[in-house]
Short mmCIF file of all heavy atoms in Angstrom, two decimals:
data_model
loop_
_atom_site.label_atom_id
_atom_site.label_comp_id
_atom_site.label_asym_id
_atom_site.label_seq_id
_atom_site.Cartn_x
_atom_site.Cartn_y
_atom_site.Cartn_z
N ALA A 77 0.82 -1.22 0.00
CA ALA A 77 0.00 0.00 0.00
C ALA A 77 0.85 1.27 0.00
O ALA A 77 0.31 2.37 0.02
CB ALA A 77 -0.94 0.00 1.21
N GLY A 78 2.17 1.11 0.01
CA GLY A 78 3.06 2.27 0.01
C GLY A 78 3.45 2.75 1.38
O GLY A 78 4.08 3.80 1.53
N GLY A 79 3.09 1.97 2.42
CA GLY A 79 3.43 2.35 3.79
C GLY A 79 4.84 1.92 4.15
O GLY A 79 5.59 1.38 3.33
N ARG A 80 5.19 2.14 5.39
CA ARG A 80 6.53 1.80 5.89
C ARG A 80 6.43 0.60 6.81
O ARG A 80 5.44 0.42 7.52
CB ARG A 80 7.11 2.99 6.67
CG ARG A 80 7.03 4.28 5.89
CD ARG A 80 8.28 4.94 5.45
NE ARG A 80 9.49 4.43 5.97
CZ ARG A 80 10.48 5.18 6.40
NH1 ARG A 80 10.37 6.47 6.42
NH2 ARG A 80 11.60 4.64 6.83
N THR A 81 7.49 -0.22 6.83
CA THR A 81 7.48 -1.45 7.62
C THR A 81 8.77 -1.60 8.42
O THR A 81 9.86 -1.33 7.92
CB THR A 81 7.28 -2.68 6.72
OG1 THR A 81 8.31 -2.71 5.72
CG2 THR A 81 5.91 -2.65 6.04
N PHE A 82 8.60 -2.05 9.66
CA PHE A 82 9.72 -2.20 10.58
C PHE A 82 9.55 -3.46 11.42
O PHE A 82 8.44 -3.92 11.64
CB PHE A 82 9.81 -0.99 11.52
CG PHE A 82 10.00 0.30 10.81
CD1 PHE A 82 8.91 1.07 10.41
CD2 PHE A 82 11.27 0.76 10.52
CE1 PHE A 82 9.08 2.26 9.74
CE2 PHE A 82 11.46 1.95 9.84
CZ PHE A 82 10.36 2.71 9.45
N ALA A 83 10.66 -3.97 11.90
CA ALA A 83 10.65 -5.10 12.83
C ALA A 83 11.70 -4.85 13.89
O ALA A 83 12.72 -4.18 13.65
CB ALA A 83 10.93 -6.41 12.11
N GLN A 84 11.46 -5.42 15.04
CA GLN A 84 12.45 -5.40 16.11
C GLN A 84 13.61 -6.29 15.70
O GLN A 84 13.41 -7.36 15.12
CB GLN A 84 11.81 -5.93 17.40
CG GLN A 84 12.73 -5.98 18.58
CD GLN A 84 12.02 -6.45 19.85
OE1 GLN A 84 10.83 -6.77 19.84
NE2 GLN A 84 12.76 -6.49 20.95
N THR A 85 14.83 -5.90 16.01
CA THR A 85 15.96 -6.78 15.73
C THR A 85 15.83 -8.03 16.58
O THR A 85 15.57 -7.94 17.78
CB THR A 85 17.31 -6.09 16.03
OG1 THR A 85 17.25 -5.50 17.32
CG2 THR A 85 17.65 -5.04 15.00
N PRO A 86 15.96 -9.20 15.96
CA PRO A 86 15.79 -10.44 16.71
C PRO A 86 16.68 -10.55 17.95
O PRO A 86 16.24 -11.08 18.97
CB PRO A 86 16.11 -11.51 15.68
CG PRO A 86 15.73 -10.89 14.38
CD PRO A 86 16.13 -9.44 14.52
N ALA A 87 17.88 -10.02 17.88
CA ALA A 87 18.80 -10.11 19.03
C ALA A 87 18.27 -9.36 20.24
O ALA A 87 18.68 -9.65 21.37
CB ALA A 87 20.18 -9.59 18.64
N THR A 88 17.36 -8.40 20.05
CA THR A 88 16.82 -7.63 21.17
C THR A 88 15.45 -8.13 21.62
O THR A 88 14.87 -7.58 22.54
CB THR A 88 16.69 -6.13 20.79
OG1 THR A 88 15.71 -5.99 19.77
CG2 THR A 88 18.02 -5.57 20.34
N ALA A 89 14.93 -9.17 20.96
CA ALA A 89 13.60 -9.69 21.26
C ALA A 89 13.68 -10.88 22.19
O ALA A 89 14.53 -11.76 22.02
CB ALA A 89 12.90 -10.10 19.96
N ALA A 90 12.77 -10.94 23.15
CA ALA A 90 12.70 -12.10 24.05
C ALA A 90 12.35 -13.36 23.27
O ALA A 90 12.84 -14.44 23.56
CB ALA A 90 11.68 -11.85 25.15
N PHE A 91 11.49 -13.21 22.27
CA PHE A 91 11.11 -14.30 21.37
C PHE A 91 11.30 -13.78 19.95
O PHE A 91 10.47 -13.01 19.45
CB PHE A 91 9.66 -14.73 21.63
CG PHE A 91 9.48 -15.36 22.98
CD1 PHE A 91 9.25 -14.58 24.10
CD2 PHE A 91 9.57 -16.74 23.12
CE1 PHE A 91 9.11 -15.16 25.35
CE2 PHE A 91 9.42 -17.33 24.37
CZ PHE A 91 9.20 -16.54 25.49
N PRO A 92 12.39 -14.18 19.28
CA PRO A 92 12.77 -13.55 18.02
C PRO A 92 12.09 -14.07 16.75
O PRO A 92 12.29 -13.49 15.68
CB PRO A 92 14.27 -13.83 17.95
CG PRO A 92 14.45 -15.12 18.68
CD PRO A 92 13.43 -15.07 19.80
N SER A 93 11.26 -15.11 16.81
CA SER A 93 10.80 -15.67 15.54
C SER A 93 9.84 -14.76 14.77
O SER A 93 9.87 -14.75 13.54
CB SER A 93 10.21 -17.07 15.72
OG SER A 93 9.12 -17.07 16.59
N MET A 94 8.99 -13.97 15.43
CA MET A 94 8.12 -13.05 14.69
C MET A 94 8.93 -12.00 13.94
O MET A 94 8.75 -11.85 12.73
CB MET A 94 7.11 -12.37 15.62
CG MET A 94 5.76 -13.06 15.66
SD MET A 94 4.58 -12.35 16.86
CE MET A 94 4.41 -10.66 16.35
N PRO A 95 9.82 -11.27 14.60
CA PRO A 95 10.60 -10.29 13.84
C PRO A 95 11.52 -10.96 12.80
O PRO A 95 11.70 -10.42 11.71
CB PRO A 95 11.38 -9.51 14.89
CG PRO A 95 11.22 -10.22 16.17
CD PRO A 95 10.06 -11.13 16.05
N GLN A 96 12.04 -12.13 13.12
CA GLN A 96 12.91 -12.81 12.15
C GLN A 96 12.13 -13.21 10.90
O GLN A 96 12.62 -13.07 9.78
CB GLN A 96 13.57 -14.05 12.77
CG GLN A 96 14.61 -14.69 11.86
CD GLN A 96 15.78 -13.75 11.59
OE1 GLN A 96 16.46 -13.29 12.52
NE2 GLN A 96 16.04 -13.44 10.33
N ALA A 97 10.89 -13.67 11.07
CA ALA A 97 10.05 -14.02 9.92
C ALA A 97 9.79 -12.79 9.05
O ALA A 97 9.81 -12.87 7.82
CB ALA A 97 8.74 -14.64 10.38
N ALA A 98 9.57 -11.64 9.70
CA ALA A 98 9.34 -10.40 8.94
C ALA A 98 10.59 -10.01 8.16
O ALA A 98 10.52 -9.60 7.00
CB ALA A 98 8.93 -9.28 9.89
N ILE A 99 11.75 -10.16 8.78
CA ILE A 99 13.01 -9.86 8.10
C ILE A 99 13.23 -10.82 6.95
O ILE A 99 13.59 -10.41 5.84
CB ILE A 99 14.18 -9.91 9.11
CG1 ILE A 99 14.05 -8.77 10.12
CG2 ILE A 99 15.53 -9.87 8.39
CD1 ILE A 99 14.93 -8.92 11.35
N ASP A 100 13.01 -12.11 7.19
CA ASP A 100 13.22 -13.13 6.16
C ASP A 100 12.31 -12.92 4.95
O ASP A 100 12.68 -13.26 3.82
CB ASP A 100 13.01 -14.53 6.73
CG ASP A 100 14.08 -14.93 7.73
OD1 ASP A 100 15.13 -14.24 7.81
OD2 ASP A 100 13.86 -15.93 8.45
N ALA A 101 11.11 -12.36 5.17
CA ALA A 101 10.18 -12.12 4.07
C ALA A 101 10.69 -11.01 3.14
O ALA A 101 10.28 -10.93 2.00
CB ALA A 101 8.80 -11.77 4.61
N GLY A 102 11.58 -10.17 3.66
CA GLY A 102 12.19 -9.11 2.84
C GLY A 102 11.31 -7.88 2.73
O GLY A 102 10.13 -7.88 3.07
N GLY A 103 11.92 -6.80 2.28
CA GLY A 103 11.20 -5.58 2.00
C GLY A 103 10.97 -4.66 3.18
O GLY A 103 10.24 -3.67 3.05
N LEU A 104 11.57 -4.94 4.33
CA LEU A 104 11.41 -4.04 5.48
C LEU A 104 12.17 -2.74 5.23
O LEU A 104 13.22 -2.73 4.58
CB LEU A 104 11.99 -4.67 6.74
CG LEU A 104 11.22 -5.76 7.43
CD1 LEU A 104 11.99 -6.21 8.67
CD2 LEU A 104 9.82 -5.33 7.81
N ASP A 105 11.66 -1.65 5.80
CA ASP A 105 12.42 -0.41 5.78
C ASP A 105 13.61 -0.50 6.73
O ASP A 105 14.67 0.03 6.44
CB ASP A 105 11.53 0.76 6.15
CG ASP A 105 10.58 1.10 5.01
OD1 ASP A 105 11.06 1.49 3.93
OD2 ASP A 105 9.36 0.94 5.20
N ALA A 106 13.41 -1.19 7.88
CA ALA A 106 14.51 -1.35 8.83
C ALA A 106 14.14 -2.34 9.91
O ALA A 106 12.97 -2.53 10.22
CB ALA A 106 14.88 -0.01 9.49
N ALA A 107 15.15 -2.98 10.47
CA ALA A 107 15.03 -3.79 11.68
C ALA A 107 15.89 -3.11 12.72
O ALA A 107 17.09 -2.90 12.50
CB ALA A 107 15.49 -5.22 11.43
N LEU A 108 15.28 -2.73 13.84
CA LEU A 108 15.95 -1.94 14.86
C LEU A 108 15.53 -2.37 16.25
O LEU A 108 14.46 -2.96 16.42
CB LEU A 108 15.58 -0.43 14.69
CG LEU A 108 15.91 0.21 13.35
CD1 LEU A 108 15.14 1.52 13.19
CD2 LEU A 108 17.40 0.45 13.25
N PRO A 109 16.32 -2.04 17.28
CA PRO A 109 15.86 -2.27 18.65
C PRO A 109 14.60 -1.41 18.89
O PRO A 109 14.42 -0.38 18.24
CB PRO A 109 17.02 -1.79 19.52
CG PRO A 109 18.20 -1.73 18.61
CD PRO A 109 17.68 -1.48 17.24
N PRO A 110 13.74 -1.82 19.83
CA PRO A 110 12.48 -1.08 20.04
C PRO A 110 12.67 0.41 20.28
O PRO A 110 11.92 1.23 19.76
CB PRO A 110 11.87 -1.75 21.27
CG PRO A 110 12.44 -3.12 21.28
CD PRO A 110 13.83 -2.99 20.71
N GLU A 111 13.70 0.78 21.04
CA GLU A 111 13.87 2.20 21.35
C GLU A 111 14.33 3.01 20.14
O GLU A 111 14.27 4.24 20.16
CB GLU A 111 14.83 2.42 22.53
CG GLU A 111 16.08 1.62 22.57
CD GLU A 111 15.89 0.16 22.99
OE1 GLU A 111 15.11 -0.15 23.89
OE2 GLU A 111 16.56 -0.68 22.37
#
């Protein structure tokens, strides 16, 4: 839709599989720590 997409960096997540799946799917604007 032309929006922006982000995920938490897996290394900073208590449970990394959701953000890792988003990263693996490709096309994110960035993966960053929550802060």
Side-chain angles (χ1 to χ4, degrees):
R80 309 246 350 224
T81 57
F82 300 91
Q84 179 178 1
T85 49
T88 66
F91 294 85
S93 60
M94 264 175 59
Q96 187 63 58
I99 293 165
D100 292 347
L104 285 181
D105 287 296
L108 302 163
E111 44 284 320

